[in-house]
C-alpha cells in the first residue's frame, strides 16, 4: 500500500475548508439556540440562517426569499420534482427529463410514474448532450415540468441550460435543474438562464455533508415535501441544521468568489490528463464532450479491463478515484450514463472517473501518469480478449 495519497474524487465529495469549519463551530456549542425561539439566543441563530440565505442567493443571482434549505441535494431534487408535479396536476401529468440524470431525479420520476404521471426520458448524443430542440419537440399541452441536470456527475458534460430555459419559459413550463455538480464550478445566474428551480449540495464545494438548498423562483407553485412546523417560511418543516446552513453559506461564497482562477487551474490539470492518457494508453475512450465539460472532470473507458479492478489497484498506489457516481458504486450494473451515450456493456464496465479539486497539483497528474499505464497494462495481460487483439485475431 502506498504512503502517498492523491485524492481524485471531488465529484463524490470534498473536504470542509478550514474557513468554513471555523464559521460552523460556534453553532455546535455556544450558539445553539432554536431559530424559531424569540429570545436572544434564538434570534442569533435566526440571523445566521438568514445571512447564509443571502450568501446563497447572491451566488445564484436569486432573491433571498427564493432560497430554501434542505437536508441534501437529493432532498432538493425530490422536493422540486414531486412538489411541482403534484401542485400542477390540474394542468397536466407529463414530465420531461433525460436518460442520464442522477438517480435522485430518475428514481423520483419513476416513482411519479407509479402515481399516474407520464415521463419522457430524452436520449442524449454520444457526448451526453441533449439539444434544446429535443426539449421543445417533447413539450406537450399537459407538460408541467422539465428537469434537466446542469452538468453530469459522471462524464462532466454541461447542458445548454440557458437555451432550454428560454424554451420552457416561452412555453409556460416549469424548468428545474439539478446543479449539484455545477455550483462552485460553473457561473450560474438563475434569472438570466430562465431557471425556475435549482438544487445544490454543500459537500460538493467544500462545505459540510447533510445540507443542501433548493431555489424556487417567486410565483412557482410547489407543494411542501415535509410537513410539520413553520420553518423555512412554512415551506419545509424541521428544525434547521444551523451549523450546516452556516457552512453552506460560507462555502458557496468562497467557491463563487474565486471561480475563474479555480477553473483555470482545474482545466489545466484536466486537459493535460486527457491529452497524456490518450497518448500513452491504447484502446481508451474519453467519455463526455471534450470541451463542454466540467473544469475538473475526466472520464475514460479502457477496453479489456474491469473498472473495479482498476480502482483497487489505483488505491494500492494511493490514488482515490471512481468508476462513476459514488451513489451507485455498490452496483454491479454498468453506468446508465455510459450506456446512454452508446457504450456497449463490456466497455462501460472499464470506466474511470477522475475529478480534480483545489488541492491537486501537476505533481499529482505526474504521479497518475506514472502509475496508470502500468496498471492498465497489467490488467489487460489477464484478459483473453486482449490476447486475441495482440495476436491479430480480433478487430477493435
Amino acid at each position: 500500500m502506498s504512503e502517498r495519497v492523491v485524492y481524485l474524487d471531488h465529484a463524490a465529495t470534498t473536504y470542509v475548508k478550514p474557513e468554513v469549519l471555523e464559521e460552523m463551530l460556534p453553532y455546535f456549542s455556544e450558539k445553539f439556540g432554536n431559530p424559531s425561539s424569540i429570545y436572544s439566543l434564538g434570534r442569533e441563530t435566526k440571523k445566521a440562517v438568514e445571512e447564509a440565505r443571502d450568501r446563497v442567493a447572491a451566488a445564484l443571482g436569486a432573491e433571498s426569499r427564493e432560497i430554501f434549505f434542505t437536508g441534501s441535494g437529493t432532498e432538493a431534487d425530490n422536493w422540486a420534482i414531486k412538489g411541482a408535479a403534484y401542485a400542477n396536476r390540474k394542468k397536466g401529468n407529463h414530465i420531461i427529463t433525460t436518460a442520464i440524470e442522477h438517480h435522485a431525479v430518475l428514481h423520483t420520476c419513476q416513482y411519479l410514474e407509479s402515481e399516474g404521471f407520464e415521463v419522457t426520458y430524452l436520449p442524449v448524443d454520444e457526448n451526453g448532450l441533449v439539444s434544446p430542440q429535443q426539449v421543445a419537440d417533447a413539450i406537450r399541452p399537459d407538460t408541467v415540468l422539465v428537469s434537466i441536470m446542469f452538468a453530469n456527475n459522471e462524464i462532466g458534460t454541461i447542458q445548454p441550460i440557458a437555451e432550454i430555459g428560454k424554451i420552457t419559459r416561452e412555453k409556460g413550463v416549469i424548468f428545474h435543474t439539478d446543479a449539484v455538480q455545477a455550483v462552485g464550478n460553473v457561473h450560474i445566474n438563475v434569472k438570466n438562464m430562465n431557471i425556475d428551480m435549482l438544487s445544490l449540495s454543500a459537500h460538493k464545494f467544500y462545505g459540510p455533508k447533510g445540507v443542501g438548498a433548493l431555489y424556487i423562483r417567486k410565483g412557482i407553485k410547489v407543494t411542501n415535501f415535509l410537513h410539520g412546523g413553520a420553518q423555512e417560511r412554512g415551506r419545509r418543516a424541521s428544525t434547521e441544521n444551523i451549523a450546516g446552513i452556516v457552512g453552506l453559506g460560507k462555502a458557496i461564497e468562497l467557491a463563487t468568489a474565486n471561480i475563474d482562477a479555480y477553473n483555470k487551474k482545474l482545466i489545466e490539470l484536466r486537459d493535460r490528463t486527457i491529452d497524456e492518457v490518450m497518448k500513452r494508453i491504447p484502446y481508451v475512450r474519453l467519455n463526455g464532450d471534450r470541451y463542454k465539460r466540467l473544469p475538473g472532470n475526466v472520464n475514460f473507458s479502457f477496453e479489456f479491463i474491469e473498472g473495479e479492478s482498476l480502482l483497487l489497484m489505483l488505491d494500492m498506489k494511493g490514488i482515490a478515484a471512481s468508476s462513476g457516481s459514488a451513489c451507485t458504486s455498490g452496483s454491479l450494473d454498468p453506468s446508465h450514463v455510459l450506456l446512454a451515450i452508446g457504450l456497449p456493456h463490456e466497455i462501460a464496465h472499464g470506466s474511470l472517473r477522475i475529478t480534480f479539486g483545489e488541492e491537486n497539483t501537476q505533481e499529482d497528474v505526474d504521479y497518475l501518469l506514472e502509475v496508470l499505464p502500468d496498471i492498465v497494462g497489467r490488467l489487460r495481460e489477464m484478459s483473453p480478449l486482449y490476447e486475441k487483439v495482440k495476436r491479430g485475431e480480433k478487430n477493435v
Side-chain angles (χ1 to χ4, degrees):
M1 192 77 174
S2 172
E3 293 182 5
R4 180 172 185 170
V5 177
V6 177
Y7 186 73
L8 301 176
D9 201 18
H10 294 82
T13 196
T14 58
Y15 64 88
V16 176
K17 283 187 175 180
E19 308 97 300
V20 174
L21 180 59
E22 184 180 354
E23 285 210 16
M24 292 174 63
L25 284 175
Y27 296 93
F28 288 111
S29 51
E30 65 259 33
K31 298 181 180 181
F32 61 88
N34 190 315
S36 298
S37 303
I38 63 171
Y39 44 74
S40 60
L41 203 58
R43 294 198 304 272
E44 188 175 28
T45 52
K46 178 71 172 176
K47 181 182 177 186
V49 169
E50 296 312 314
E51 287 175 352
R53 200 185 311 278
D54 291 343
R55 284 169 157 175
V56 176
L60 300 177
E63 298 177 29
S64 293
R65 59 181 171 169
E66 297 173 314
I67 304 300
F68 299 87
F69 293 113
T70 66
S72 64
T74 293
E75 183 193 318
D77 283 338
N78 272 258
W79 183 10
I81 295 167
K82 292 176 184 174
Y86 289 134
N88 296 277
R89 200 165 193 173
K90 287 184 179 178
K91 177 192 172 185
N93 69 338
H94 181 234
I95 298 167
I96 298 169
T97 188
T98 78
I100 63 166
E101 298 295 310
H102 189 278
H103 282 113
V105 169
L106 291 179
H107 288 172
T108 302
C109 288
Q110 288 161 11
Y111 167 78
L112 286 173
E113 286 182 292
S114 73
E115 291 279 293
F117 287 87
E118 290 184 52
V119 181
T120 296
Y121 299 92
L122 295 176
V124 294
D125 67 15
E126 62 182 9
N127 292 320
L129 284 164
V130 63
S131 74
Q133 190 59 50
Q134 282 177 277
V135 177
D137 292 343
I139 291 175
R140 310 183 325 206
D142 61 343
T143 303
V144 294
L145 175 68
V146 172
S147 181
I148 294 177
M149 68 193 330
F150 205 114
N152 187 265
N153 53 303
E154 293 191 33
I155 60 175
T157 297
I158 298 172
Q159 301 295 346
I161 293 298
E163 293 89 338
I164 293 170
K166 184 173 184 292
I167 289 167
T168 56
R169 187 63 57 83
E170 290 171 352
K171 299 276 189 178
V173 176
I174 297 172
F175 178 39
H176 165 254
T177 184
D178 173 352
V180 166
Q181 291 292 335
V183 172
N185 288 301
V186 178
H187 285 283
I188 298 175
N189 185 296
V190 291
K191 305 298 185 190
N192 294 345
M193 294 178 166
N194 294 306
I195 296 168
D196 296 312
M197 296 189 290
L198 178 147
S199 306
L200 61 87
S201 182
H203 78 102
K204 302 296 187 179
F205 47 85
Y206 305 96
K209 297 173 181 64
V211 62
L214 178 64
Y215 157 74
I216 305 175
R217 183 169 67 86
K218 184 177 59 179
I220 295 297
K221 286 175 58 180
V222 182
T223 61
N224 289 2
F225 186 62
L226 292 178
H227 300 88
Q231 292 88 357
E232 293 298 281
R233 299 189 302 289
R235 304 295 294 275
R236 195 263 188 189
S238 185
T239 300
E240 298 88 342
N241 171 10
I242 307 302
I245 289 169
V246 168
L248 189 160
K250 181 63 174 178
I252 201 169
E253 183 179 68
L254 292 173
T256 51
N258 196 37
I259 193 168
D260 291 325
Y262 180 55
N263 284 351
K264 182 176 183 294
K265 172 190 171 179
L266 293 192
I267 289 169
E268 289 172 357
L269 297 174
R270 178 197 74 185
D271 289 352
R272 181 171 170 235
T273 301
I274 292 172
D275 293 341
E276 291 299 321
V277 169
M278 301 287 282
K279 187 188 306 180
R280 300 183 190 198
I281 303 177
Y283 308 117
V284 59
R285 170 198 161 104
L286 175 69
N287 299 315
D289 192 274
R290 179 64 179 83
Y291 300 105
K292 296 175 185 175
R293 69 187 305 129
L294 290 170
N297 176 287
V298 180
N299 189 303
F300 293 118
S301 284
F302 299 95
E303 294 190 52
F304 316 114
I305 67 171
E306 285 285 335
E308 186 175 359
S309 300
L310 176 59
L311 294 181
L312 290 171
M313 293 185 75
L314 283 170
D315 185 47
M316 292 175 67
K317 293 290 187 180
I319 296 175
S322 73
S323 58
S325 172
C327 306
T328 57
S329 60
S331 172
L332 296 177
D333 295 329
S335 158
H336 71 285
V337 175
L338 298 183
L339 295 181
I341 63 174
L343 268 64
H345 279 236
E346 63 273 15
I347 296 179
H349 268 301
S351 64
L352 172 67
R353 183 186 70 177
I354 297 162
T355 44
F356 294 104
E358 191 170 272
E359 77 277 16
N360 291 130
T361 63
Q362 291 291 352
E363 287 71 30
D364 292 336
V365 176
D366 292 339
Y367 184 57
L368 176 69
L369 295 173
E370 176 188 327
V371 303
L372 184 60
D374 180 60
I375 291 174
V376 171
R378 287 164 61 192
L379 289 172
R380 282 177 173 168
E381 290 302 318
M382 304 175 194
S383 167
L385 284 177
Y386 188 57
E387 282 298 313
K388 289 183 179 181
V389 169
K390 288 200 301 182
R391 292 197 300 267
E393 298 173 10
K394 178 178 173 63
N395 293 324
V396 179

